[in-house]
């Protein structure tokens, strides 16, 4: 892997040494298998293909200055996957099975964990799909749980720098009592048109308002929204957004920095009062927002006056990364070291 330009790898798929798989049959999970095959062989009538019985996770492993590899918040990701399972009626994956597979897939691909200096990381993608051949709309009887990894750089091309976002009113990603709170494939299909439109119009990301009233900030593409106002950290409370593990971690860091953390509805107009704003997620990490345009309403909210990330998001980003890379102690028990 010595010939890799680790600092410029971007966010995409790369072939690695292999993946790990586990099959659910007759009401039980089988043994974990290691595979070098990048393809999966499934029946054309599998429930994942037609009826969207598909959930995934996203977490990262980081190589520290000390050479050790640390996986961030493995248990929280395992728990969220179980929520997604409940949401679309798939069998649970225990934290033990999740941990066994993360450990195996990272160990098997240890050469693909980017070096400390690169600022890149290893993205771990667990995927759970219904595989039974069925034509009736019913939960599958059989499932495949596969985990692959790929080394990644920043999700937004510029890395930790400000980006402009856009509010679209003509589409919704998720309904208030729908599947937005689960990490299921259908949500991403529902957002693809808006996301491509945003990119084609020169924005880094689209922002969704709440689907019912079109009044409150909901989700930022595949990331949660954060607003900073004075000493307050404000983030949406909504039944249609994914409970971001990055956001949960940042809220804890903000509280421990003495900030007031507010999880509540954020009316769109409040955007004009934020000192800083950003999107956060495993892929996005913390991505500061420069300006937000509501094109359909004809309003622009300039968040970053100087075109630079603000001090609070910079401090939160720096602390989070320092814990992930093992530069500072992890008092929260968020990190699992892969020996
Ligand atoms: N919201 C959506 C829709 C996402 O896909 C993600 C990415 O996982 C997030 C938010 C951020 O969640 P996390 O911080 O757990 O990666
Ligand atoms: C993640 O941050 O893991 C995400 O879900 C983003 C991904 C859809 C690219």
């Amino acid at each position: 892997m010595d010939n890799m330009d680790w600092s410029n790898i971007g966010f995409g798929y790369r072939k690695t040494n292999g993946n790990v798989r586990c099959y659910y049959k007759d009401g039980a999970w089988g043994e974990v298998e290691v595979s070098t095959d990048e393809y999966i062989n499934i029946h054309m009538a599998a429930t994942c293909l037609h009826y969207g019985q598909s959930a995934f996770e996203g977490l990262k492993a980081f190589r520290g200055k000390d050479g050790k590899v640390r996986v961030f918040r493995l248990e929280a990701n395992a728990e969220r996957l179980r929520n997604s399972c409940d949401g679309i009626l798939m069998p649970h994956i225990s934290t033990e099975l999740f941990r066994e597979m993360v450990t195996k897939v990272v160990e098997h691909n240890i050469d693909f964990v980017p070096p400390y200096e690169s600022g890149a990381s290893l993205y771990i993608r667990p995927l759970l799909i219904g595989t039974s051949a069925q034509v009736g709309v019913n939960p599958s009887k059989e499932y495949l749980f596969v985990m692959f990894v790929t080394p990644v750089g920043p999700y937004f091309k510029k890395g930790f720098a400000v980006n402009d976002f856009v509010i679209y009113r003509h589409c919704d990603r998720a309904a208030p009592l729908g599947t937005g709170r689960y990490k299921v494939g259908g949500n991403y299909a529902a957002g693809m048109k808006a996301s491509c439109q945003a990119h084609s119009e020169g924005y880094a990301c689209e922002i969704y308002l709440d689907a019912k009233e079109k009044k409150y900030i909901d989700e930022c593409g595949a990331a949660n929204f954060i607003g900073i106002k004075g000493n307050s950290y404000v983030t949406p409370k909504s039944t249609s957004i994914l409970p971001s593990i990055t956001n949960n971690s940042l809220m804890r860091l903000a509280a421990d920095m003495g900030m007031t953390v507010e999880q509540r509805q954020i009316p769109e107009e409040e955007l004009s009062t934020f000192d800083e704003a950003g999107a956060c997620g495993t892929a996005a990490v913390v991505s500061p927002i420069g300006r937000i345009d509501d094109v359909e309403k004809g309003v622009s909210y300039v968040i970053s006056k100087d075109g630079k990330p603000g001090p609070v998001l910079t401090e939160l980003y720096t602390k989070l990364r320092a814990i992930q890379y093992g530069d500072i102690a992890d008092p929260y028990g968020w990190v699992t070291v892969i020996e």
Side-chain angles (χ1 to χ4, degrees):
M1 248 49 69
D2 294 342
N3 55 353
M4 286 276 284
D5 182 10
W6 292 109
S7 301
N8 294 300
I9 52 176
F11 193 91
Y13 176 80
R14 266 160 216 273
K15 187 176 183 344
T16 61
N17 292 337
N19 53 83
V20 294
R21 301 171 181 209
C22 193
Y23 294 88
Y24 182 90
K25 218 178 164 175
D26 300 325
W29 287 103
E31 294 294 311
V32 176
E33 301 169 11
V34 176
S35 172
T36 53
D37 195 349
E38 288 174 277
Y39 291 83
I40 50 180
N41 189 16
I42 54 172
H43 196 282
M44 60 187 170
T47 62
C48 62
L49 297 176
H50 301 254
Y51 306 131
Q53 253 201 325
S54 164
F56 68 99
E57 270 305 325
L59 63 165
K60 280 176 171 172
F62 303 84
R63 192 182 295 280
K65 218 182 271 180
D66 54 9
K68 285 186 189 164
V69 173
R70 294 168 174 83
V71 178
F72 189 65
R73 302 211 65 179
L74 179 162
E75 297 84 359
N77 282 90
E79 190 182 331
R80 189 172 63 187
L81 180 58
R82 287 194 290 275
N83 282 337
S84 298
C85 290
D86 291 341
I88 57 170
L89 299 183
M90 304 200 290
H92 276 186
I93 305 280
S94 68
T95 299
E96 290 64 41
L97 177 57
F98 194 90
R99 187 192 311 280
E100 180 190 345
M101 289 178 67
V102 168
T103 306
K104 250 192 194 142
V105 77
V106 172
E107 280 174 356
H108 197 70
N109 293 292
I110 205 82
D111 296 344
F112 287 90
V113 186
Y116 171 77
E117 295 73 21
S118 65
S121 55
L122 188 74
Y123 186 70
I124 306 166
R125 171 54 66 83
L127 171 71
L128 172 57
I129 54 172
T131 52
S132 301
Q134 282 172 209
V135 181
V137 182
N138 273 305
S140 179
K141 293 181 186 65
E142 296 181 359
Y143 293 85
L144 164 62
F145 185 44
V146 54
M147 233 183 241
F148 66 82
V149 297
T150 187
V152 294
Y155 187 61
F156 294 116
K157 286 191 194 78
K158 293 189 278 178
F160 188 71
V162 299
N163 280 294
D164 293 340
F165 283 36
V166 62
I167 293 172
Y168 286 141
R169 296 169 166 273
H170 62 273
C171 51
D172 295 317
R173 168 188 167 272
L177 301 177
T179 57
R181 78 194 88 158
Y182 308 122
K183 201 163 169 65
V184 298
N187 294 340
Y188 299 81
M192 231 170 241
K193 220 170 143 180
S195 160
C196 286
Q197 186 183 344
H199 292 150
S200 73
E201 292 175 353
Y203 297 101
C205 184
E206 77 286 10
I207 295 181
Y208 299 94
L209 297 177
D210 76 284
K212 193 172 172 191
E213 297 189 73
K214 297 278 179 189
K215 227 170 128 178
Y216 305 104
I217 303 297
D218 213 48
E219 194 74 299
C220 283
N224 278 182
F225 177 86
I226 315 164
I228 305 291
K229 191 181 340 191
N231 197 40
S232 295
Y233 178 111
V234 191
T235 193
K237 185 179 170 76
S238 161
T239 54
S240 52
I241 65 174
L242 189 76
S244 157
I245 293 162
T246 311
N247 198 1
N248 173 279
S249 313
L250 293 170
M251 284 191 264
R252 184 69 200 270
L253 293 176
D256 289 355
M257 277 156 55
M259 295 185 76
T260 305
V261 175
E262 301 174 28
Q263 241 183 320
R264 59 164 169 82
Q265 288 183 314
I266 303 176
E268 182 189 320
E269 300 69 48
E270 195 179 348
L271 291 176
S272 64
T273 69
F274 288 128
D275 305 319
E276 301 177 38
C280 69
T282 297
V285 194
V286 178
S287 295
I289 301 177
R291 192 184 76 236
I292 301 174
D293 293 341
D294 181 336
V295 258
E296 284 137 296
K297 201 170 163 189
V299 186
S300 262
Y301 304 92
V302 177
I303 313 258
S304 168
K305 309 286 184 284
D306 60 0
K308 293 192 188 126
V312 176
L313 288 183
T314 302
E315 184 174 351
L316 285 166
Y317 168 84
T318 308
K319 281 219 166 100
L320 179 73
R321 300 280 279 180
I323 293 176
Q324 292 175 328
Y325 281 95
D327 291 336
I328 59 173
D330 163 27
Y332 310 106
W334 286 341
V335 153
T336 304
V337 176
I338 307 275
E339 297 295 349

